[in-house]
Amino acid sequence: MSTSSSQDPLPSKFGVLVFPAFQALDAFGPLDAFNNLADKHKMDLAIIAKTLEPVSTKYRDPAMNPFGSNFGESIVPTHDFITAPPLDVLLIPGGLGTRADEELESLYEFVRKTYPSLKYILTVCTGSRIAARAGILDGKRATTNKNSFEKVKAVGPNVKWVSHARWVVDGNVWTSSGVSAGTDMALAWIEEVFGKEMAEEISRVMEYERHLDPNDDPFADLYNLPREG
Amino acid sequence: MSTSSSQDPLPSKFGVLVFPAFQALDAFGPLDAFNNLADKHKMDLAIIAKTLEPVSTKYRDPAMNPFGSNFGESIVPTHDFITAPPLDVLLIPGGLGTRADEELESLYEFVRKTYPSLKYILTVCTGSRIAARAGILDGKRATTNKNSFEKVKAVGPNVKWVSHARWVVDGNVWTSSGVSAGTDMALAWIEEVFGKEMAEEISRVMEYERHLDPNDDPFADLYNLPREG
């Protein structure tokens, strides 16, 4: 499973992609683990979006908001797709906003263009839909949100989708199941790259009891997903 | 433990307090549970800060950032302490920024002034330090981050601090242990107020395996905290 050599410098240049109606915890679970890691290592974060306008978690389609709630949070990008700095690690959250193919075309292009120079790409939940649309999951094993599994699978016919997994690692591509699974994946990634002690220290600071087994996925069965043949 | 009557309308007006160097997941764990709840009920969120400038999770004290990282996220307030709307529920995250007493004086005053009209107040992690400073925990049972337990205890000498608890409920005051514990508390609060089925549905959507027992706290022992006499 190891993808890094001890000669390589540790990854320090992180980026996260945000887009309208991203799922807050998909981003902020992993990001808060990385926030803690940045106390122990020199790390920079670029928050990357189509423009520098704040990006909200709110749905823009009224059909998604049947009770007319005015509920969501906006995050401030630091870079757009043109000004984004070189990155070692790119994190892609999911959310209902991942379905807006037309809106996301330039974001897919950014992922496609950026992937070859990354050390790692991490997707959470339906963030793997974005990676699939960008074409970088073709031929690779990957997972996604279990409630949206069949829908995401349909947009990546050449991806080896894994139904029963909290997260999946294939080379430098890490994909997690829905929302909270991203935090487990981020901590497993920290363990892989920065060591077990660091992952355990950050889990302790976050008072987080990790799921340690990537294959233990209680939610696949809950959604009655079939296992791969 | 029930604090609501079935005659009461369900709480719909939510607020979250943010301040420099708040802990991202303290806020976004509960908020993302509430984001999901807002798909099922009419709910509004006010993001409240001293000013309408974006509020960053970054430390402002260079001593807190020994490696010179440039790593953090900024959230956009919707209201300041003057323009904040009437609220049913106020969520207060923690973080190292809770130690900035001088900076937070007007925030303490806001909590003090707002508490009597709230249906519920929820604090996560060292957010209980803010509630203690505002004086609203006096005589009440409460908990906080386990790594900072003794420090927070010292600022609330009239609070009945509970060392071994994932979260504590005393009347309409809900306080949780560190970071991730806030998500468990938020889902327990949803169960209490919106029903068990709703809490389970939201946990399923978040692919989150809840800690269901507020008294089961693996982190208190990890930090060798004594039990109350």
Side-chain angles (χ1 to χ4, degrees):
Chain A
M1 201 167 104
S2 186
T3 52
S4 65
S5 112
S6 57
Q7 278 77 37
D8 288 341
L10 289 169
S12 65
K13 299 186 292 287
F14 287 65
V16 59
L17 277 177
V18 287
F19 46 85
F22 73 101
Q23 190 72 36
L25 192 55
D26 289 14
F28 282 101
L31 284 176
D32 213 31
F34 299 152
N35 285 343
N36 280 293
L37 186 63
D39 297 346
K40 318 285 180 191
H41 289 273
K42 160 78 176 151
M43 286 165 45
D44 298 327
L45 176 66
I47 299 173
I48 305 164
K50 197 172 186 175
T51 75
L52 296 178
E53 287 297 302
V55 177
S56 174
T57 62
K58 284 179 193 165
Y59 310 136
R60 295 193 298 181
D61 178 354
M64 298 292 196
N65 184 15
F67 295 91
S69 291
N70 183 14
F71 209 101
E73 304 83 39
S74 290
I75 179 172
V76 185
T78 59
H79 297 80
D80 62 27
F81 300 147
I82 309 297
T83 61
L87 298 172
D88 298 326
V89 182
L90 181 62
L91 172 69
I92 310 180
L96 286 177
T98 58
R99 297 182 189 171
D101 280 320
E102 203 168 322
E103 160 81 22
L104 296 181
E105 198 42 66
S106 58
L107 186 146
Y108 300 153
E109 182 54 35
F110 175 80
V111 174
R112 203 174 288 131
K113 191 190 71 191
T114 305
Y115 175 66
S117 60
L118 294 173
K119 289 182 178 167
Y120 298 94
I121 192 163
L122 284 67
T123 76
V124 178
C125 195
T126 51
S128 55
R129 188 189 196 280
I130 290 174
R133 278 286 190 215
I136 66 167
L137 296 185
D138 283 353
K140 292 203 168 68
R141 296 171 69 250
T143 195
T144 190
N145 180 294
K146 293 305 142 59
N147 190 25
S148 305
F149 193 78
E150 296 301 335
K151 281 197 192 95
V152 174
K153 199 174 162 181
V155 308
N158 301 317
V159 182
K160 297 170 188 159
W161 293 105
V162 182
S163 64
H164 285 65
R166 188 81 175 153
W167 71 91
V168 167
V169 185
D170 189 334
N172 66 353
V173 178
W174 294 58
T175 54
S176 90
S177 192
V179 197
S180 309
T183 307
D184 291 318
M185 179 186 69
L187 288 162
W189 179 85
I190 290 171
E191 176 163 335
E192 167 78 6
V193 179
F194 290 83
K196 188 171 180 181
E197 207 176 310
M198 183 59 69
E200 287 178 349
E201 181 174 344
I202 291 174
S203 304
R204 201 163 53 240
V205 168
M206 295 171 77
E207 296 194 20
Y208 187 72
E209 289 196 302
R210 297 163 63 190
H211 294 75
L212 293 167
D213 180 355
N215 301 312
D216 178 17
D217 178 5
F219 294 92
D221 287 330
L222 216 55
Y223 288 110
N224 297 313
L225 293 180
R227 287 184 182 271
E228 291 74 26
Chain B
M1 203 167 104
S2 185
T3 51
S4 66
S5 110
S6 57
Q7 280 78 38
D8 288 339
L10 288 168
S12 64
K13 299 186 293 287
F14 287 66
V16 59
L17 278 176
V18 287
F19 46 85
F22 74 101
Q23 190 72 37
L25 193 54
D26 289 14
F28 282 99
L31 283 176
D32 213 31
F34 299 152
N35 285 344
N36 280 294
L37 186 62
D39 297 346
K40 317 286 181 190
H41 289 272
K42 160 77 175 151
M43 287 166 44
D44 298 328
L45 177 65
I47 298 173
I48 304 164
K50 198 174 186 174
T51 75
L52 295 179
E53 287 298 303
V55 177
S56 175
T57 61
K58 284 180 193 165
Y59 310 137
R60 294 194 298 182
D61 178 354
M64 299 292 196
N65 185 14
F67 294 90
S69 290
N70 182 15
F71 210 101
E73 305 84 37
S74 291
I75 180 173
V76 184
T78 60
H79 297 81
D80 62 26
F81 300 147
I82 309 297
T83 60
L87 298 172
D88 297 326
V89 181
L90 181 62
L91 172 69
I92 310 179
L96 285 177
T98 58
R99 298 182 189 170
D101 281 320
E102 203 168 323
E103 161 80 22
L104 296 181
E105 196 43 66
S106 58
L107 186 146
Y108 299 154
E109 182 56 32
F110 176 80
V111 174
R112 204 174 287 132
K113 191 190 70 188
T114 305
Y115 175 66
S117 61
L118 293 172
K119 289 182 179 168
Y120 299 94
I121 192 164
L122 283 68
T123 75
V124 178
C125 195
T126 49
S128 55
R129 188 190 195 281
I130 290 174
R133 278 285 190 216
I136 67 168
L137 296 185
D138 283 353
K140 292 203 169 67
R141 296 172 69 250
T143 196
T144 189
N145 180 293
K146 294 304 141 62
N147 191 24
S148 305
F149 193 79
E150 296 301 336
K151 281 196 191 97
V152 174
K153 200 174 161 182
V155 308
N158 301 318
V159 181
K160 297 171 189 158
W161 294 105
V162 182
S163 63
H164 285 63
R166 189 79 174 154
W167 71 90
V168 167
V169 184
D170 190 334
N172 66 354
V173 178
W174 294 58
T175 54
S176 90
S177 192
V179 197
S180 310
T183 307
D184 291 318
M185 179 186 70
L187 289 163
W189 179 84
I190 289 171
E191 176 163 334
E192 167 77 8
V193 178
F194 289 81
K196 188 172 180 181
E197 207 176 310
M198 184 59 68
E200 287 177 351
E201 181 174 345
I202 291 173
S203 304
R204 200 163 53 240
V205 169
M206 296 171 75
E207 295 194 21
Y208 187 73
E209 289 196 301
R210 297 163 62 189
H211 293 76
L212 293 167
D213 180 355
N215 301 312
D216 178 17
D217 178 5
F219 294 93
D221 287 330
L222 216 56
Y223 287 110
N224 296 313
L225 294 179
R227 287 184 183 270
E228 293 72 28

